[in-house]
Short mmCIF file of all heavy atoms in Angstrom, two decimals:
data_model
loop_
_atom_site.label_atom_id
_atom_site.label_comp_id
_atom_site.label_asym_id
_atom_site.label_seq_id
_atom_site.Cartn_x
_atom_site.Cartn_y
_atom_site.Cartn_z
N GLY A 41 15.12 15.03 -19.44
CA GLY A 41 14.72 13.66 -19.78
C GLY A 41 15.88 12.70 -19.64
O GLY A 41 15.79 11.67 -18.97
N HIS A 44 17.17 11.65 -16.04
CA HIS A 44 16.47 10.71 -15.14
C HIS A 44 17.03 9.31 -15.34
O HIS A 44 17.08 8.51 -14.41
CB HIS A 44 14.94 10.78 -15.33
CG HIS A 44 14.35 9.76 -16.26
ND1 HIS A 44 14.39 9.88 -17.62
CD2 HIS A 44 13.74 8.57 -16.00
CE1 HIS A 44 13.80 8.83 -18.16
NE2 HIS A 44 13.40 8.01 -17.21
N GLY A 45 17.51 9.02 -16.58
CA GLY A 45 18.18 7.74 -16.81
C GLY A 45 19.64 7.83 -16.41
O GLY A 45 20.26 6.82 -16.04
N ASP A 48 20.62 6.22 -13.33
CA ASP A 48 20.59 4.75 -13.22
C ASP A 48 21.76 4.16 -12.42
O ASP A 48 21.58 3.12 -11.77
CB ASP A 48 20.53 4.11 -14.62
CG ASP A 48 19.13 4.17 -15.21
OD1 ASP A 48 18.21 4.65 -14.52
OD2 ASP A 48 18.94 3.75 -16.37
N HIS A 99 6.74 1.07 -19.00
CA HIS A 99 7.67 1.79 -18.13
C HIS A 99 7.03 3.07 -17.57
O HIS A 99 7.12 3.35 -16.37
CB HIS A 99 8.93 2.12 -18.94
CG HIS A 99 9.91 2.97 -18.19
ND1 HIS A 99 10.47 2.57 -17.00
CD2 HIS A 99 10.40 4.22 -18.45
CE1 HIS A 99 11.28 3.53 -16.56
NE2 HIS A 99 11.25 4.53 -17.42
N PHE A 100 6.35 3.84 -18.43
CA PHE A 100 5.68 5.06 -17.95
C PHE A 100 4.61 4.68 -16.92
O PHE A 100 4.44 5.34 -15.90
CB PHE A 100 5.03 5.81 -19.12
CG PHE A 100 6.01 6.42 -20.09
CD1 PHE A 100 5.67 6.63 -21.43
CD2 PHE A 100 7.28 6.80 -19.69
CE1 PHE A 100 6.56 7.20 -22.33
CE2 PHE A 100 8.19 7.37 -20.59
CZ PHE A 100 7.82 7.57 -21.91
N SER A 102 4.54 2.16 -14.92
CA SER A 102 5.07 1.69 -13.63
C SER A 102 5.41 2.88 -12.72
O SER A 102 5.30 2.77 -11.50
CB SER A 102 6.30 0.79 -13.84
OG SER A 102 7.36 1.55 -14.38
N THR A 103 5.80 4.01 -13.31
CA THR A 103 6.09 5.18 -12.46
C THR A 103 4.79 5.92 -12.13
O THR A 103 4.57 6.34 -10.99
CB THR A 103 7.07 6.14 -13.17
OG1 THR A 103 8.20 5.39 -13.60
CG2 THR A 103 7.55 7.24 -12.26
N PHE A 209 7.46 13.57 -21.03
CA PHE A 209 8.74 12.90 -20.70
C PHE A 209 9.50 13.68 -19.61
O PHE A 209 10.01 13.10 -18.65
CB PHE A 209 9.56 12.80 -21.98
CG PHE A 209 10.84 12.01 -21.84
CD1 PHE A 209 10.86 10.78 -21.22
CD2 PHE A 209 12.02 12.50 -22.39
CE1 PHE A 209 12.03 10.05 -21.11
CE2 PHE A 209 13.20 11.78 -22.30
CZ PHE A 209 13.20 10.55 -21.64
N HIS A 213 7.11 12.24 -16.43
CA HIS A 213 7.84 10.99 -16.16
C HIS A 213 9.15 11.23 -15.39
O HIS A 213 9.39 10.62 -14.34
CB HIS A 213 8.12 10.26 -17.48
CG HIS A 213 8.91 9.01 -17.29
ND1 HIS A 213 8.40 7.90 -16.66
CD2 HIS A 213 10.20 8.69 -17.60
CE1 HIS A 213 9.32 6.95 -16.60
NE2 HIS A 213 10.43 7.41 -17.16
N SER A 214 9.99 12.12 -15.91
CA SER A 214 11.29 12.31 -15.25
C SER A 214 11.10 12.89 -13.85
O SER A 214 11.78 12.47 -12.90
CB SER A 214 12.18 13.24 -16.08
OG SER A 214 12.41 12.67 -17.32
N HIS A 217 10.05 10.21 -11.55
CA HIS A 217 11.16 9.28 -11.31
C HIS A 217 12.11 9.89 -10.27
O HIS A 217 12.53 9.22 -9.33
CB HIS A 217 11.89 9.02 -12.63
CG HIS A 217 13.03 8.05 -12.52
ND1 HIS A 217 12.86 6.69 -12.60
CD2 HIS A 217 14.35 8.25 -12.32
CE1 HIS A 217 14.03 6.09 -12.46
NE2 HIS A 217 14.96 7.03 -12.30
N THR A 288 16.14 2.89 -23.37
CA THR A 288 14.94 2.46 -22.65
C THR A 288 15.00 1.00 -22.22
O THR A 288 14.56 0.65 -21.13
CB THR A 288 13.68 2.67 -23.53
OG1 THR A 288 13.54 4.07 -23.75
CG2 THR A 288 12.43 2.15 -22.87
N HIS A 291 17.18 0.65 -19.14
CA HIS A 291 16.64 1.56 -18.11
C HIS A 291 15.31 1.03 -17.55
O HIS A 291 15.13 0.96 -16.33
CB HIS A 291 16.47 2.95 -18.75
CG HIS A 291 15.66 3.91 -17.94
ND1 HIS A 291 16.15 4.54 -16.81
CD2 HIS A 291 14.37 4.34 -18.08
CE1 HIS A 291 15.21 5.33 -16.31
NE2 HIS A 291 14.12 5.22 -17.05
N ALA A 292 14.41 0.62 -18.46
CA ALA A 292 13.09 0.17 -18.00
C ALA A 292 13.22 -1.12 -17.17
O ALA A 292 12.55 -1.27 -16.14
CB ALA A 292 12.17 -0.06 -19.19
N VAL A 295 14.72 -0.15 -13.72
CA VAL A 295 13.74 0.52 -12.85
C VAL A 295 12.70 -0.50 -12.36
O VAL A 295 12.31 -0.50 -11.19
CB VAL A 295 13.06 1.70 -13.60
CG1 VAL A 295 11.93 2.29 -12.77
CG2 VAL A 295 14.09 2.77 -13.92
FE1 LIG B 430 12.25 6.30 -17.07
#
Side-chain angles (χ1 to χ4, degrees):
H44 96 280
D48 282 357
H99 175 60
F100 292 153
S102 66
T103 308
F209 186 47
H213 178 68
S214 299
H217 182 86
T288 295
H291 167 76
V295 173

